[in-house]
Amino acid sequence: MQFVYPSFLFALSAIAIPIIIHLFNFRRYKKIIFSDIRFLKTVQEETKSKRKIKELLILLSRILAITFLALAFAQPFIPQQKTTQLAAQKALSIYIDNSFSMGNEGKNGILLETAKNKARAIINGYGNAENFQILTSDFEGKQQRLLSKNDALQTIDNIKLSAASKKISEVLKRQKQAFENQSQKNQISYIISDFQKNFSDFENIKNDSNFTINFVPVQANIDHNIFIDSTWLTSPIIRINSPIQLKVRIRNIGNENIENIAITLKINSIQKALVNVNCEAHSYTDGEITFTLNSTGIQQGELSIIDNPISFDDKLFFTISTSSSNQILCINGGEENKFIKNVFEGDDAFILNNCNENKIDYSSFNKNQLIILNEPNSLTSGLSSELKKYLEGGGFLLIIPPQQNKITEINSFLSEVNSINFGVPVKQNLKVDHINTQEELFKDVFLKFPRNIDLPTISQYYETIKSTSNKGTSLMQLNNGLPFIYQSTYKKGKVIILTVPLNELWSNLTQHSIFVPLMLKMAFGNSSYSSLYSTIDKDKWINTKLDFQGAEKIAHIVGNDADFLAEVKLQDGKNTVYIDEQIKKAGIFHLEMKDKKEASALFAMNYNRAESYTQTLDISELTKNIKAEILNDDATVIQQKISQELSGTQLWRVCLMLCLLFVLIEILLLKLLLKSF
């Protein structure tokens, strides 16, 4: 047995006081004369012997009461196996999971509040001299410093739910980084979380003898959530005053089927549609919403459902960009191509302008979403220079080779824009056997890619020659491994190359069903490549069409409590804005050029849906692949366990109770003694 405050043992000297009182009995007796005391003496002798026994018991109870009172102040304890280790200097880190799943309800209320209470109990279990790291899913820089006990408790009070979410391996790595500059060998980690399956990557954690891990689970009452998973357009073509079909995926991870989930669509804060869908348990359903837009420009969209208690994923924001018409310029080496004309003629969404290669208005290039070089006979240096300027500004260029082998000047231009070159024409019956559906041009053409799709056939084609400077990929590939349609990037623009003329003698591409969507996608240029929304804590870069050329490469982003400047870089021919993790709330945001406020754009950011999957690990699964201790108790019990491990089995409460017991015994003995007189 050891003592926390051994100096209080000097108080045991107070035992001398009752002993002195007992040895020197200061009570004065009054002499009374009786006529006959024969019987009285007998009674007195019997009473005196009993009285001495009672006085000895009173003395003993007083001694023991004083003894246990002194021991209570000295705080005796019995050291445990861990006590010596924990008594040494420690580096303590407490991670409080504040991701959105912690907004669920448990038996003691909201999980985050339960987690905060347990964190306070852990801190209070240690002494005032300890320092703590308080870490959350936000991974803020200020969380890497150690705090005093009072500062740590105050920091916990300010923790709120956040869009950020981190895996357990990332948390432990971050905690170890905070301990790198600490001299303490005894490093202790506490992780308070609901331990979602999506983020409990224990297989990526290595055991460390110097790093003690404690898992503190908090559990929700029910494993239930309905949320908007994603949304997409069924067609990349968006026209004003024409029906637009929007798909919305609703996911149900609960154990019960849900009926009549109301999905509301708002465009520019005005309700446009309302549809009801059903969703089976542990499944998803795709609802379809049809609406129209009657104005051009970027439109703000919002989808919403109602589901509690987890509500962060009940809204999804997006933007749709529309224009009155897309202009297409077709530069012909000979006659106009009837197949190109048939695709765009009569469609008010497009304006097709044909011109001969000898009569080109270069000033009109930047007005066009797509420029087509249709079987050019020559490619002058002036045309090459203007086409490169057009690509640098983000244009789309489609090159269709001539039927005659007049490719020298075309190859010279293709080399300048880092693309493949045409080789010699080859007569051979081949078939397209692969479509790159991962590329943007085909990404949303197929709702579901057929297994045995009928692809175009080839009777003649141009071989292609690649060099080390080529920067591109095959969109469609022949069964001999050569590209049928090739795409490359030059600055902000894209170059798409067909290896056949649009002629029935070379291939059946113009009669194939894929020809029209292929041409339409190219006709929308970079506008069809725009995603509807981005994701917080996942997408660090945002694409923008704003022209920062000649301007300061700084963007100003404003909206939903965000107001900051961001760096702009050119990546894959696109202006991209680096937002890092500065956007914390979902919504629609304005992106402006710092020195040109009239130039602005809109983009949507949504919360990461990974937190929507609230399935958690069982307690038994937490220590399968990692050495850790589980603290699955209430906050009060956790505090007591830590205190007990830190200072052993404390006995001061026992000593205090024994002190009171002997005081009570003394009182009872005194009452019995008085009755005997």
Side-chain angles (χ1 to χ4, degrees):
M1 185 172 65
Q2 298 180 16
F3 298 91
V4 177
Y5 304 107
S7 58
F8 276 100
L9 294 176
F10 288 107
L12 291 174
S13 58
I15 294 173
I17 296 173
I19 294 174
I20 292 171
I21 293 173
H22 179 76
L23 293 177
F24 299 94
N25 192 344
F26 296 108
R27 181 177 294 179
R28 295 182 179 179
Y29 297 97
K30 185 177 181 181
K31 185 181 291 187
I32 299 175
I33 300 173
F34 287 91
S35 58
D36 191 350
I37 60 172
R38 286 179 298 169
F39 299 106
L40 184 60
K41 282 184 178 180
T42 304
V43 173
Q44 185 181 17
E45 287 176 358
E46 291 177 359
T47 304
K48 189 174 182 180
S49 62
K50 290 181 180 180
R51 182 171 173 276
K52 285 184 178 181
I53 294 173
K54 291 177 182 178
E55 287 181 349
L56 287 173
L57 290 175
I58 292 170
L59 174 62
L60 180 61
S61 63
R62 287 174 176 173
I63 292 173
L64 291 174
I66 294 172
T67 300
F68 284 113
L69 181 63
L71 290 175
F73 279 98
Q75 293 191 20
F77 65 92
I78 300 173
Q80 295 185 354
Q81 189 175 0
K82 288 186 177 180
T83 303
T84 305
Q85 179 186 2
L86 292 176
Q89 268 195 317
K90 298 166 288 295
L92 298 162
S93 176
I94 302 173
Y95 167 72
I96 302 172
D97 184 356
N98 64 331
S99 59
F100 280 134
S101 65
M102 296 291 284
N104 212 337
E105 291 184 355
K107 65 177 183 179
N108 296 319
I110 300 300
L111 294 185
L112 179 60
E113 293 304 317
T114 303
K116 290 163 68 173
N117 288 334
K118 291 191 175 185
R120 295 186 187 101
I122 291 170
I123 293 174
N124 289 326
Y126 288 93
N128 294 326
E130 304 295 349
N131 291 322
F132 303 86
Q133 179 200 26
I134 304 300
L135 184 64
T136 67
S137 299
D138 298 307
F139 275 19
E140 295 177 336
K142 63 182 181 181
Q143 294 178 351
Q144 288 303 94
R145 62 189 181 93
L146 300 183
L147 306 173
S148 66
K149 187 173 184 177
N150 289 334
D151 289 342
L153 291 171
Q154 186 175 356
T155 299
I156 290 173
D157 293 338
N158 297 327
I159 294 176
K160 298 179 181 179
L161 289 174
S162 168
S165 55
K166 297 295 184 293
K167 294 186 176 182
I168 299 300
S169 61
E170 295 175 324
V171 172
L172 290 172
K173 183 178 179 181
R174 190 79 168 182
Q175 288 180 321
K176 288 183 178 181
Q177 288 175 351
F179 296 154
E180 285 180 354
N181 298 325
Q182 304 298 319
S183 59
Q184 297 92 334
K185 291 184 179 181
N186 192 12
Q187 300 173 354
I188 304 174
S189 161
Y190 291 92
I191 296 180
I192 310 174
S193 172
D194 56 355
F195 293 98
Q196 285 178 270
K197 290 183 179 180
N198 286 348
F199 302 99
S200 300
D201 58 336
F202 297 134
E203 66 278 3
N204 297 325
I205 301 172
K206 295 181 179 179
N207 290 316
D208 186 345
S209 58
N210 294 326
F211 198 71
T212 304
I213 301 173
N214 298 274
F215 290 147
V216 186
V218 290
Q219 295 173 300
N221 290 333
I222 53 175
D223 196 5
H224 153 89
N225 190 23
I226 303 168
F227 61 95
I228 303 177
D229 181 88
S230 55
T231 186
W232 66 94
L233 296 168
T234 58
S235 171
I237 302 171
I238 305 172
R239 303 174 182 175
I240 60 172
N241 300 319
S242 296
I244 300 171
Q245 290 184 329
L246 185 73
K247 286 281 189 179
V248 185
R249 177 160 293 179
I250 303 297
R251 202 173 282 273
N252 176 14
I253 66 166
N255 297 319
E256 298 180 359
N257 298 338
I258 304 296
E259 295 182 353
N260 295 324
I261 306 168
I263 308 174
T264 304
L265 170 66
K266 291 182 180 179
I267 300 293
N268 299 325
S269 301
I270 299 173
Q271 183 171 323
K272 283 282 187 177
L274 176 68
V275 297
N276 292 316
V277 297
N278 301 329
C279 190
E280 295 181 358
H282 301 291
S283 183
Y284 67 87
T285 186
D286 293 336
E288 187 172 288
I289 300 177
T290 302
F291 64 101
T292 58
L293 297 175
N294 51 20
S295 61
T296 60
I298 302 178
Q299 314 294 319
Q300 304 179 39
E302 178 187 325
L303 292 162
S304 62
I305 61 172
I306 297 176
D307 176 56
N308 291 309
I310 299 178
S311 59
F312 78 93
D313 47 14
D314 293 348
K315 287 186 178 182
L316 191 143
F317 301 93
F318 62 94
T319 58
I320 299 179
S321 180
T322 61
S323 59
S324 56
S325 61
N326 290 2
Q327 295 196 51
I328 303 157
L329 176 63
C330 187
I331 303 173
N332 301 299
E335 296 180 356
E336 297 178 4
N337 189 288
K338 63 178 181 179
F339 302 108
I340 297 175
K341 190 175 181 180
N342 290 339
V343 172
F344 301 111
E345 196 174 56
D347 192 334
D348 57 6
F350 305 99
I351 299 175
L352 176 63
N353 298 307
N354 280 282
C355 71
N356 189 272
E357 63 184 6
N358 298 319
K359 298 179 180 180
I360 304 173
D361 180 11
Y362 295 138
S363 63
S364 67
F365 274 21
N366 289 332
K367 298 177 182 179
N368 296 280
Q369 294 289 100
L370 172 67
I371 294 179
I372 303 173
L373 277 181
N374 178 38
E375 301 187 31
N377 293 312
S378 63
L379 201 59
T380 64
S381 59
L383 177 57
S384 296
S385 176
E386 293 298 325
L387 287 175
K388 284 194 287 186
K389 289 180 182 179
Y390 171 72
L391 290 170
E392 288 172 0
F396 253 59
L397 175 63
L398 171 63
I399 299 178
I400 303 171
Q403 298 186 54
Q404 291 78 27
N405 192 2
K406 300 177 181 179
I407 56 173
T408 304
E409 293 177 353
I410 298 176
N411 281 339
S412 177
F413 170 76
L414 291 174
S415 297
E416 292 177 8
V417 294
N418 301 323
S419 190
I420 57 173
N421 284 187
F422 289 111
V424 296
V426 178
K427 288 187 177 183
Q428 185 181 4
N429 292 325
L430 295 172
K431 189 177 179 66
V432 174
D433 70 347
H434 177 69
I435 297 180
N436 191 348
T437 56
Q438 298 303 311
E439 286 295 322
E440 291 288 346
L441 199 63
F442 289 115
K443 197 169 187 179
D444 49 10
V445 171
F446 304 96
L447 291 178
K448 185 178 180 181
F449 196 79
R451 296 186 77 181
N452 299 315
I453 186 172
D454 179 33
L455 296 173
T457 57
I458 316 298
S459 56
Q460 296 182 68
Y461 68 97
Y462 277 96
E463 286 186 334
T464 52
I465 304 169
K466 291 185 178 181
S467 66
T468 55
S469 61
N470 293 155
K471 297 179 180 178
T473 184
S474 292
L475 298 177
M476 297 177 70
Q477 186 173 286
L478 299 173
N479 55 3
N480 64 355
L482 292 176
F484 177 59
I485 302 178
Y486 189 85
Q487 175 183 281
S488 61
T489 301
Y490 180 74
K491 300 294 178 66
K492 299 179 185 178
K494 292 189 181 294
V495 180
I496 298 175
I497 300 167
L498 292 180
T499 58
V500 296
L502 294 181
N503 187 295
E504 300 98 320
L505 298 175
W506 288 70
S507 74
N508 70 342
L509 176 63
T510 54
Q511 285 80 43
H512 200 278
S513 59
I514 203 171
F515 177 66
V516 173
L518 174 67
M519 297 300 295
L520 292 177
K521 283 279 285 184
M522 286 188 287
F524 277 93
N526 277 328
S527 62
S528 65
Y529 283 25
S530 302
S531 59
L532 296 181
Y533 57 88
S534 299
T535 303
I536 295 174
D537 202 34
K538 180 180 177 183
D539 297 321
K540 310 292 186 184
W541 296 88
I542 300 297
N543 293 332
T544 177
K545 294 181 184 178
L546 295 183
D547 186 8
F548 284 85
Q549 189 173 359
E552 188 178 358
K553 298 293 191 292
I554 299 294
H556 183 205
I557 294 175
V558 183
N560 210 0
D561 294 343
D563 189 348
F564 61 94
L565 299 178
E567 179 187 7
V568 180
K569 283 188 177 181
L570 187 65
Q571 293 183 347
D572 297 328
K574 300 177 184 177
N575 275 325
T576 57
V577 181
Y578 184 60
I579 61 171
D580 194 17
E581 296 180 355
Q582 298 188 75
I583 292 178
K584 303 295 185 183
K585 294 183 179 180
I588 306 294
F589 298 85
H590 289 263
L591 190 155
E592 305 168 344
M593 297 175 66
K594 181 185 175 184
D595 54 355
K596 198 175 182 182
K597 297 294 183 182
E598 65 275 10
S600 63
L602 296 174
F603 66 94
M605 295 292 291
N606 288 292
Y607 296 125
N608 195 329
R609 264 40 182 180
E611 279 290 326
S612 301
Y613 297 85
T614 56
Q615 297 95 335
T616 59
L617 294 176
D618 292 329
I619 302 299
S620 59
E621 297 178 275
L622 295 180
T623 56
K624 276 188 176 180
N625 300 314
I626 184 173
K627 184 180 178 182
E629 293 192 20
I630 309 296
L631 297 177
N632 189 28
D633 301 294
D634 292 337
T636 305
V637 178
I638 289 175
Q639 181 175 340
Q640 290 174 353
K641 281 186 176 181
I642 293 174
S643 298
Q644 186 171 327
E645 288 182 353
L646 187 65
S647 57
T649 304
Q650 297 187 11
L651 303 175
W652 66 269
R653 290 185 179 85
V654 177
C655 293
L656 188 60
M657 292 174 64
L658 289 172
C659 173
L660 295 174
L661 176 63
F662 286 113
V663 169
L664 179 62
I665 292 172
E666 178 192 356
I667 294 171
L668 294 174
L669 289 172
L670 287 172
K671 286 185 176 181
L672 290 174
L673 186 63
L674 289 173
K675 285 182 180 180
S676 61
F677 289 98

